[in-house]
Amino acid sequence: MSIRSRCRAACAAAVLLLAALPALAVQPDEVLPDPVLEERARDLSRELRCMVCQNQSIDDSDAPLARDLRLLVRERLQAGDSDRQVLDYLVSRYGEFVLMRPVFSWRNALLWGAPVLFLVLGGAVAWAGMRRREAAPPARLSAEEEARVARLLAGSRDDTAP
């Protein structure tokens, strides 16, 4: 194999490896000059949901609204806000839906507890149904049915007679 073909193979492998990596949507003009602030901005961006994509963080989304939110996060950090203050500001503007992991509160307790509630209710209904089935005594045969069973057991073929 020649040097030229080895070089092409190596370049092709590098391109394939780079294509397999997740693409981050942060543009070079968004990056803060202070590496500590930039790291905080990236951490916060991973915790915030893109309102357009809804299954991506704003760090991964290339939607225009996600870019605006990334810039807003960086602006708030440069203004001296703490991480909690930035998150609170965005929640006050966009609601809890902007958080990738919503916080437990009494307003959304039903949402968090609904799966457990449905599981407990379903188990209670199943248990009550099984108890009712076990507790019900077998129905007694009428005199006519008992006579027919006796005839069948005695070997009589004429089961239509009373």
Side-chain angles (χ1 to χ4, degrees):
M1 186 183 252
S2 72
I3 293 177
R4 191 173 260 182
S5 60
R6 285 183 187 170
C7 185
R8 285 183 187 157
C11 287
V15 167
L16 287 175
L17 286 175
L18 289 175
L21 294 175
L24 298 177
V26 177
Q27 301 298 314
D29 63 330
E30 297 176 28
V31 177
L32 295 172
D34 181 3
V36 175
L37 276 182
E38 179 60 27
E39 185 60 33
R40 284 178 56 202
R42 296 299 291 270
D43 290 342
L44 286 171
S45 294
R46 288 184 201 102
E47 294 182 32
L48 296 168
R49 179 186 320 273
C50 173
M51 305 301 273
V52 176
C53 308
Q54 297 185 4
N55 271 345
Q56 286 183 319
S57 68
I58 63 171
D59 196 49
D60 297 329
S61 174
D62 57 356
L65 180 61
R67 176 183 164 80
D68 293 343
L69 287 174
R70 286 192 303 267
L71 292 173
L72 182 61
V73 165
R74 283 165 173 75
E75 178 183 304
R76 300 295 294 194
L77 288 175
Q78 285 180 321
D81 286 0
S82 69
D83 293 357
R84 176 78 342 220
Q85 288 173 320
V86 173
L87 291 175
D88 289 344
Y89 176 76
L90 290 170
V91 167
S92 71
R93 263 185 114 175
Y94 297 101
E96 284 187 24
F97 186 72
V98 77
L99 299 175
M100 290 294 279
R101 290 175 286 152
V103 207
F104 178 78
S105 68
W106 289 111
R107 289 183 304 178
N108 62 13
L110 183 61
L111 178 67
W112 284 94
V116 174
L117 181 67
F118 286 133
L119 186 64
V120 168
L121 286 175
V125 167
W127 180 76
M130 289 173 27
R131 292 258 314 157
R132 188 177 307 134
R133 194 174 295 156
E134 289 174 3
R140 299 284 300 157
L141 296 176
S142 67
E144 190 177 292
E145 292 169 331
E146 284 184 19
R148 184 172 178 218
V149 168
R151 279 194 313 276
L152 287 171
L153 289 175
S156 170
R157 293 279 188 197
D158 184 23
D159 61 275
T160 57

